[in-house]
């Protein structure tokens, strides 16, 4: 439609002496004319330029023709009205993000397209196309785009067939053609639909560590596994105490891979051994909007060995069956941030040999009574050896925790 064609028709006219073909604007001013005494042409065509060769502005115009016969009579056609339109449709379109995951978590579940400065046209079309150029979703509007929603329309990852579109890269092509044949097309490219489920798992290798320099359980190793290792916007890994405060932190920026393992040496920010119960906490933010949190099982970190206490009463006892202070009452207490692995309470004789012994695992027998007889030595008659009077019998209380500290 770069040219407009007019076909003159003469009715009952004699031989022509001259003719004038003219195009006038809405104000009646001539912008283009053809005058001649030659034979009337079969058609007139106008390319939208004025007599000076300049482009005529868009608007309403009228075309008409006047003829004069050789006999001196004249005639004029009724003006034919038409529109000159060299301005193509136009719109500005943008989206806040180019990757989304329609998983219903409320974050980047769809692609929202915002349009501005949209020209009014008979028909606007937007097509969602896959990487091969195949259309999977189509939108149409009359007038301007999505007028009811202030120029915003959305794609939720579904196809016109009613099902979900496959994961992949898409484009949204917006186009229009006006009555004058002017066309417009723009594309929002590289829009990624990623519906993969994002999960993460953190595993702590040890139930407890003791960073005390004995080369046993000195550090905790956290193993990390993710179902979607790519498309990461940022990540962070923290070792946190029971109060939720971080004592050690690692972070990663966009596209930086998450390490398969993190090793914590058990030290706090001050460079001292941390004391208490801790856990590993992983946070991942994906470009498609998903946020994932994963925690390890809690574990103990301490460099403090078990703290022990022994109380005995009476101060002196005489197991002579006289009814007075015949038994020694023993109270044991052991505290550790870890777990008790095994313990023993041994009373030795004056020569340093074990005379009486009690031991156990997991939990301490806190209250015991000793009658002065040995459970380790026997006399010449084969009976349990009895303590000697006025003699000291030293004791040793030993506890080993689950971290190997004694």
């Amino acid at each position: 439609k770069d040219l407009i064609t007019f076909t003159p028709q003469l009715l009952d006219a004699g031989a022509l002496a001259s003719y004038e073909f003219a195009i006038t604007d809405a104000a009646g001013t001539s912008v283009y004319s053809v005058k001649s005494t030659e034979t009337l042409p079969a058609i007139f065509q106008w390319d939208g330029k004025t007599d000076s060769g300049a482009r005529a502005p868009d608007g309403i115009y009228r075309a008409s023709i006047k003829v004069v016969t050789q006999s001196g009579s004249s005639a004029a056609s009724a003006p034919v009205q038409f529109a000159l339109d060299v301005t193509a449709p136009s719109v500005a379109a943008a989206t806040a993000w180019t990757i989304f995951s329609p998983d219903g978590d409320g974050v980047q579940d769809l692609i929202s397209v915002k349009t501005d400065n949209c020209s009014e046209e008979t028909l606007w079309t937007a097509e969602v196309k896959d990487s091969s150029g195949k259309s999977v979703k189509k939108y149409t509007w009359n007038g301007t785009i999505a007028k009811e929603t202030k120029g915003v329309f959305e794609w939720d990852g579904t196809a016109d067939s009613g099902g979900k579109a496959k994961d992949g890269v898409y484009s949204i092509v917006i186009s229009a053609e006006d009555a004058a044949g002017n066309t417009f097309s723009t594309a929002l490219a590289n829009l990624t639909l990623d519906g993969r489920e994002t999960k993460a798992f953190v595993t702590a290798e040890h139930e407890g560590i003791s960073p005390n320099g004995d080369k046993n359980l000195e550090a905790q190793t956290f193993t990390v596994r993710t179902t979607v290792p790519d498309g990461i916007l940022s990540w962070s890994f923290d070792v946190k105490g029971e109060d939720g405060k971080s004592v050690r932190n690692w972070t990663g920026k966009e596209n930086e891979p998450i390490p398969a393992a993190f090793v914590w040496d058990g030290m706090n920010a001050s460079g001292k051994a941390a004391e208490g119960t801790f856990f590993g906490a992983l946070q991942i933010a994906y470009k498609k909007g998903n946020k994932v949190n994963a925690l390890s099982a809690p574990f103990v970190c301490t460099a403090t060995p078990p703290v022990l206490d022994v109380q005995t009463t009476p101060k002196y006892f005489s197991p002579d069956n006289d009814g007075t202070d015949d038994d020694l009452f023993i109270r044991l207490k052991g505290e550790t941030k870890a777990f008790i692995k095994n313990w023993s309470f041994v009373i030795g004789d004056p020569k340093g040999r074990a005379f009486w012994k009690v031991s156990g695992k997991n939990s301490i027998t806190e209250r015991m009574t000793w009658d002065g007889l040995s459970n380790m030595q026997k006399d010449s008659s084969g009976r349990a050896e009895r303590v000697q009077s006025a003699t000291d019998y030293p004791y040793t209380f030993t506890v080993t925790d689950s971290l190997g500290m004694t």
Side-chain angles (χ1 to χ4, degrees), residues 240-300:
K240 296 183 177 183
E242 291 179 292
D243 57 2
K245 294 182 179 179
S246 176
V247 296
R248 182 72 168 87
N249 170 259
W250 293 262
T251 59
K253 298 180 181 179
E254 185 174 352
N255 295 326
E256 185 175 342
I258 302 174
F262 295 90
V263 178
W264 180 47
D265 60 5
M267 299 296 168
N268 58 25
S270 303
K272 297 180 180 180
E275 297 281 339
T277 301
F278 299 87
F279 60 92
L282 175 65
Q283 292 182 315
I284 308 173
Y286 285 89
K287 295 177 184 178
K288 62 177 182 169
N290 296 110
K291 296 184 184 299
V292 177
N293 295 285
L295 304 178
S296 75
F299 63 94
V300 172

Side-chain angles (χ1 to χ4, degrees), residues 62-65 75-81:
R62 295 177 176 85
S64 62
I65 188 170
S77 68
V80 177
Q81 183 172 289

